[in-house]
Amino acid sequence: MYKAKAYSVASATSPFASDTIQRRETTDRDVQIEILYCGICHSDLHTVRDEWHSIMPTVYPCVPGHEIVGKVTKVGAAVSKFKPGDLVGVGCLVDSDHSCPSCLNNLEQFCKEPTFTYNSPDKHGTGPVTYGGYSESIVVDERFVLRVPANLDLAGVAPLLCAGITTYSPMRRWGDIKGKKVGVVGLGGLGHMGVKFARAFGAHVVVFTTSPKKKEDALRLGAHEVIVSTDRQQMKQHAGTFNFILDTIAAEHDINAYITMLGLEGNITLVGAPDKPLPVSAFALLFGRRTLSGSLIGGIKETQEMLDFCGEHNITSDVEVIPIQQINEAYERLVKSDVKYRFSIDMASLKAE
Ligand code: NAP
Ligand code: ZN
């Protein structure tokens, strides 16, 4: 084992502080990665503040971060895909059981015993739970390490590892959205990636936002139209017209207002994960035979496919790069939906401490 610098929280109400964690030495299949950038996902905030207590209680100290890009520094004897110096990514998963039907079907995120990048029981016993990317390095089984296209800006690649795959996967799964009317609800980290992918897939893209000041950015990011969701008149005009809607809202909200935006057999997929249940009106679903679904990140194979797609189409996240010392302030801004459109932590700032 070796020591690595990290930022952790000691409780649901503590601020982040500088810390030291243990990382394992590379075993045969492991890749050791020097972390260059790590995105800040709203899931990090839900976890840090123990907002998902009833489903996944947080074990403290907690080191979040699952939007990791870095450089390989060391590989185990049996590693075949990577060598020192390679640019790589790590997302929300660092291991699974490799044998259940989901794993065999490239859907490791639905494995019964997945190991998430942080706050998951640590099979290697390095700590009580896994520690994520707000750290100078990480050691990961090569089967959960992704290749990063060489042409992309690394600070903007980091968020692809969660926000990217979480929005790419449900749109791909829905079918060919070319020429369809697609809504993206919430212009945050996930939402802005949803807009970029929907546009790249050829859809007619409409953003629903509660923030009128984001309108111009939404159009610049690729939206054809923007609806301010608090404006009843604007909502009414579009009722019953959408084929597919991706809902990325992180907080409680009236989902029926968006279900009724769908046309016949339209689908709304939830990727946002508010801690409280969302009441659903049966009638909103019955009329129009509409469907409501959920989606969770994506498997490793699909995550690589998404990264390669981003390389080909020059897609990255719009980021505000921050030093890790500004993390507490960044969290306060994230709660207020005041980020353009993802924070990406420059880990050189941690090394310099
Ligand atoms: P984010 O950057 O904070 O974006 C969420 C956006 O939702 C905000 O920018 C805001 O957009 C809108 N919003 C926030 N509060 C709202 C409210 N009370 N009512 C209406 N709209 C509101 O968060 P994120 O990182 O994109 O994550 C979004 C959610 O997805 C989180 O719950 C996160 O945990 C979850 N998530 C799920 C998965 C998965 O696999 N399913 C993966 C990653 C994250 P406007 O300002 O445009 O209204
Ligand atoms: Zn995430």
Side-chain angles (χ1 to χ4, degrees):
M1 289 206 281
Y2 71 97
K3 287 194 161 119
K5 288 182 193 172
Y7 262 56
S8 70
V9 288
S11 77
T13 52
S14 309
F16 276 97
S18 185
D19 197 357
T20 303
I21 54 169
Q22 304 278 352
R23 293 294 193 195
R24 65 178 185 267
E25 294 298 338
T26 46
T27 65
D28 275 3
R29 296 193 85 136
D30 281 338
V31 175
Q32 185 194 55
I33 300 161
E34 176 195 353
I35 301 174
L36 299 176
Y37 293 96
C38 184
I40 300 180
C41 178
H42 208 113
S43 302
D44 300 351
L45 189 147
H46 288 306
T47 306
V48 158
R49 299 191 176 176
D50 206 12
E51 291 173 355
W52 290 339
H53 184 84
S54 58
I55 297 141
M56 288 182 278
T58 305
V59 175
Y60 296 97
C62 172
V63 178
H66 57 205
E67 296 185 334
I68 298 168
V69 285
K71 195 185 278 186
V72 175
T73 42
K74 207 197 246 182
V75 296
V79 168
S80 60
K81 282 163 55 189
F82 303 100
K83 58 178 188 322
D86 286 354
L87 289 175
V88 293
V90 177
C92 302
L93 291 161
V94 288
D95 210 350
S96 65
D97 73 6
H98 304 283
S99 57
C100 70
S102 296
C103 286
L104 296 177
N105 212 7
N106 295 306
L107 295 168
E108 298 87 352
Q109 73 272 38
F110 303 121
C111 174
K112 287 206 174 58
E113 281 188 50
T115 305
F116 293 107
T117 307
Y118 59 81
N119 200 44
S120 239
D122 182 2
K123 280 187 196 167
H124 297 265
T126 319
V129 288
T130 50
Y131 297 129
Y134 298 6
S135 164
E136 60 184 342
S137 73
I138 191 164
V139 178
V140 181
D141 184 309
E142 71 163 329
R143 290 171 287 186
F144 290 82
V145 178
L146 288 309
R147 290 183 314 276
V148 169
N151 58 316
L152 299 178
D153 168 62
L154 290 183
V157 167
L160 300 178
L161 276 304
C162 175
I165 184 60
T166 301
T167 49
Y168 177 95
S169 180
M171 284 188 199
R172 279 296 202 214
R173 187 162 174 273
W174 187 81
D176 189 1
I177 63 173
K178 193 168 179 201
K180 305 287 185 201
K181 187 168 176 182
V182 169
V184 176
V185 189
L187 197 67
L190 264 57
H192 93 290
M193 288 312 307
V195 170
K196 291 187 185 206
F197 286 128
R199 182 69 189 238
F201 298 155
H204 179 84
V205 188
V206 184
V207 165
F208 293 92
T209 181
T210 58
S211 313
K213 63 178 190 289
K214 292 184 182 174
K215 197 168 174 179
E216 270 177 33
D217 278 346
L219 297 170
R220 177 181 56 77
L221 291 162
H224 295 92
E225 295 179 76
V226 182
I227 299 172
V228 177
S229 52
T230 47
D231 182 331
R232 280 183 181 210
Q233 197 49 38
Q234 284 186 42
M235 292 290 274
K236 214 170 154 189
Q237 274 168 15
H238 289 263
T241 62
F242 283 81
N243 300 105
F244 176 77
I245 295 177
L246 191 69
D247 181 346
T248 78
I249 298 178
E252 271 182 276
H253 60 286
D254 176 17
I255 191 173
N256 304 301
Y258 300 103
I259 296 175
T260 51
M261 290 291 128
L262 295 168
L264 184 63
E265 297 186 337
N267 171 264
I268 181 166
T269 296
L270 275 182
V271 284
D275 52 332
K276 303 221 171 54
L278 302 173
V280 172
S281 151
F283 283 95
L285 288 174
L286 304 186
F287 282 93
R289 207 151 70 185
R290 299 155 170 150
T291 55
L292 166 64
S293 321
S295 191
L296 182 74
I297 47 173
I300 296 301
K301 184 167 178 256
E302 194 177 36
T303 305
Q304 188 63 62
E305 177 192 304
M306 178 275 308
L307 284 170
D308 295 343
F309 181 89
C310 289
E312 277 161 38
H313 294 83
N314 223 0
I315 293 174
T316 52
S317 169
D318 282 31
V319 288
E320 288 190 45
V321 177
I322 58 158
I324 198 153
Q325 293 78 9
Q326 283 177 15
I327 193 147
N328 291 308
E329 192 187 321
Y331 268 54
E332 289 315 311
R333 285 185 51 200
L334 184 59
V335 176
K336 294 183 199 140
S337 304
D338 172 27
V339 193
K340 289 187 169 180
Y341 276 85
R342 195 59 136 190
F343 287 117
S344 186
I345 310 166
D346 180 353
M347 283 303 161
S349 60
L350 179 58
K351 252 193 151 160
E353 266 195 358

